[in-house]
Amino acid sequence: AGPEVDLYPINGGLHARVRYVSFNMGVNANMSGFLCPSASGTVSANAITVDVDLLVNVSSPGVVEIMLTNKNATISGLNVSLDGLLGFLVNWLVNLFEGTIASELESLIVNQLDSFKEVIEGALASLELNTTINFPPLVGTGDSTLVQLETSMNSAAFDTLGGALGFVTRVTAEKGVEYETMGSIGRVSCLGSAPDNFGFYELHEMEIALFDDMLNQLLFAVWYGGSLDFSLGEADIGDGAPLASFGVTNLLVDASFMLPPVLTNCTPDDQYRMQVGDIHLHASMVFNGLPLEFDAYVSTSAKVAMSIDNSGASPALQFSVQTLDTADLEVTSVSAGGPAAKFALMELIQATLMPMIFELLTEGFVTSFPIPAIELDGLADDLPPGAGFHINGQTVYRNSGYTVLSGDVE
């Protein structure tokens, strides 16, 4: 039978217990000479139990150090039995020294525990991410953006009730927009005097918290790389859009986000929202038989709801638009058609273009953040490849700028 592996939290780290039950091993020693006969037989034990404390320290981001303390190995019910004539002659002598043999084996196992340190460091390192994500243009035609997502562990705190691991995040992309920028926005306690005081609610066995700054870094990188500059036509909008009711045909829109989208609940009603600064829209169309072009600028926001998708290998956070609010819309130029054309264009933007853009943003971009599993197949040779555990999401909640996925361990 394979080993039983238990990990549970202690002050400063984890305690590991590896237990083999009903251990059996064959022995075959080939020797030559009259006074050195060959020997074969079996070594068995009722149980072999190994205990060790693993103290976890993060000296700098990405540098995890494990210290092994209180190392102990216990062999119970050891039995050494040799076969043949040699066994008949000396088994009684071996039996007298089985206690000594067990002590020597226990010391040998303890001396080998240092290799366990590298296994745990590797398991914790598997939580860190270094991946490249390809984001196509939001809709229609445009440039794709390669986003580099890296996380490094920068804190570890354990007590007898559990543990918390903290990570710093770096999200980068090559510049693909014409606009100058100072970088991704930071939350800074919603510019209030009282700092955010985040803590897990501990609703389930395991919780993973994503800070708004990290999600906004991801949105910033997608914008910075140019994936939010795109061109779309009637085929991209689809049959569901009532263009004919506006008297519009042959629609072609060039859209450019002049600022990156932002996720925040720093709003008067404390609702979680996606906010977008000026989106420049330049479009050409035929309006009631009259060819025209127009320019418009839109600033808007939308309430965002969160849910869980457990259908994949690991859970995913899903973001969906609940309510779209247009904060500001200005049509700056219309080449023909007068006030009637301007009014129709405003209705077209509010009723068709902006809902479609927000739906694509929340479904196609934000939900792609991966939740890694914890790999344990290196803890023992008998563990199958891919052995480990991951979170089975049960609920999502918000607290102090964090979106928290809470679930059970599988």
Side-chain angles (χ1 to χ4, degrees):
E4 301 171 359
V5 180
D6 291 323
L7 288 171
Y8 58 84
I10 59 174
N11 290 326
L14 297 167
H15 179 82
R17 167 167 288 186
V18 181
R19 181 176 172 84
Y20 288 86
V21 180
S22 300
F23 177 81
N24 291 276
M25 181 177 67
V27 176
N28 190 2
N30 294 318
M31 293 175 283
S32 62
F34 175 74
L35 297 178
C36 300
S38 298
S40 63
T42 60
V43 177
S44 63
N46 293 336
I48 300 176
T49 305
V50 180
D51 286 281
V52 61
D53 291 340
L54 308 158
L55 303 183
V56 183
N57 178 58
V58 182
S59 58
S60 61
V63 181
V64 181
E65 300 170 344
I66 304 294
M67 179 183 296
L68 275 61
T69 63
N70 299 325
K71 297 181 284 187
N72 184 58
T74 303
I75 300 175
S76 60
L78 179 68
N79 180 58
V80 180
S81 179
L82 300 178
D83 299 331
L85 178 61
L86 183 62
F88 176 77
L89 293 174
V90 302
N91 269 336
W92 64 273
L93 183 61
V94 171
N95 292 339
L96 290 177
F97 288 95
E98 280 179 345
T100 302
I101 295 172
S103 296
E104 291 297 324
L105 289 175
E106 289 168 356
S107 298
L108 180 63
I109 292 171
V110 167
N111 291 334
Q112 295 299 314
L113 279 178
D114 286 341
S115 62
F116 203 70
K117 169 185 173 181
E118 296 180 0
V119 172
I120 297 300
E121 288 176 345
L124 292 175
S126 71
L127 297 175
E128 299 183 338
L129 299 175
N130 187 347
T131 185
T132 301
I133 308 171
N134 182 30
F135 288 97
L138 182 62
V139 66
T141 59
D143 295 329
S144 296
T145 298
L146 290 177
V147 173
Q148 187 70 28
L149 173 62
E150 301 172 74
T151 65
S152 299
M153 190 180 300
N154 73 327
S155 66
F158 289 88
D159 58 27
T160 55
L161 298 179
L165 303 177
F167 296 82
V168 292
T169 305
R170 184 170 181 262
V171 187
T172 57
E174 294 292 330
K175 186 176 182 180
V177 294
E178 61 180 292
Y179 312 109
E180 296 301 320
T181 176
M182 298 180 67
S184 177
I185 194 170
R187 178 180 169 87
V188 196
S189 303
C190 295
L191 300 181
S193 57
D196 288 329
N197 186 22
F198 171 75
F200 289 104
Y201 293 163
E202 300 180 10
L203 303 179
H204 296 277
E205 296 171 336
M206 186 176 182
E207 296 188 335
I208 298 174
L210 305 179
F211 194 34
D212 285 350
D213 285 3
M214 185 277 295
L215 295 173
N216 285 325
Q217 283 181 9
L218 183 60
L219 286 170
F220 177 89
V222 172
W223 168 81
Y224 190 72
S227 287
L228 300 185
D229 287 351
F230 52 87
S231 299
L232 60 93
E234 294 181 15
D236 302 304
I237 297 175
D239 297 333
L243 296 180
S245 65
F246 295 105
V248 172
T249 59
N250 297 336
L251 176 66
L252 180 62
V253 179
D254 293 324
S256 178
F257 282 57
M258 301 177 69
L259 291 170
V262 173
L263 285 167
T264 183
N265 70 323
C266 297
T267 55
D269 56 2
D270 198 38
Q271 292 290 318
Y272 197 42
R273 294 174 181 270
M274 177 179 285
Q275 299 177 337
V276 179
D278 278 348
I279 306 174
H280 178 210
L281 302 175
H282 176 80
S284 63
M285 67 184 72
V286 175
F287 173 67
N288 290 332
L290 179 67
L292 63 82
E293 296 185 14
F294 77 87
D295 286 278
Y297 295 85
V298 184
S299 298
T300 187
S301 67
K303 291 181 180 179
V304 174
M306 297 158 295
S307 59
I308 307 167
D309 179 12
N310 285 316
S311 61
S314 59
L317 283 172
Q318 289 188 328
F319 293 75
S320 59
V321 173
Q322 283 187 316
T323 305
L324 179 64
D325 305 314
T326 299
D328 188 24
L329 169 61
E330 182 181 5
V331 177
T332 57
S333 65
V334 181
S335 63
K342 185 173 183 178
F343 176 78
L345 293 172
M346 294 176 67
E347 287 293 315
L348 174 65
I349 293 169
Q350 293 186 57
T352 300
L353 294 181
M354 295 314 301
M356 179 190 67
I357 288 173
F358 266 89
E359 182 177 359
L360 289 167
L361 269 174
T362 55
E363 289 185 357
F365 282 71
V366 184
T367 57
S368 60
F369 186 80
I371 306 295
I374 298 178
E375 300 173 358
L376 298 177
D377 50 2
L379 290 180
D381 292 337
D382 291 338
L383 289 175
F389 61 86
H390 67 273
I391 185 172
N392 181 30
Q394 299 295 319
T395 188
V396 180
Y397 64 85
R398 291 276 304 167
N399 184 18
S400 301
Y402 285 83
T403 299
V404 184
L405 174 63
S406 180
D408 298 321
V409 175
E410 290 188 346

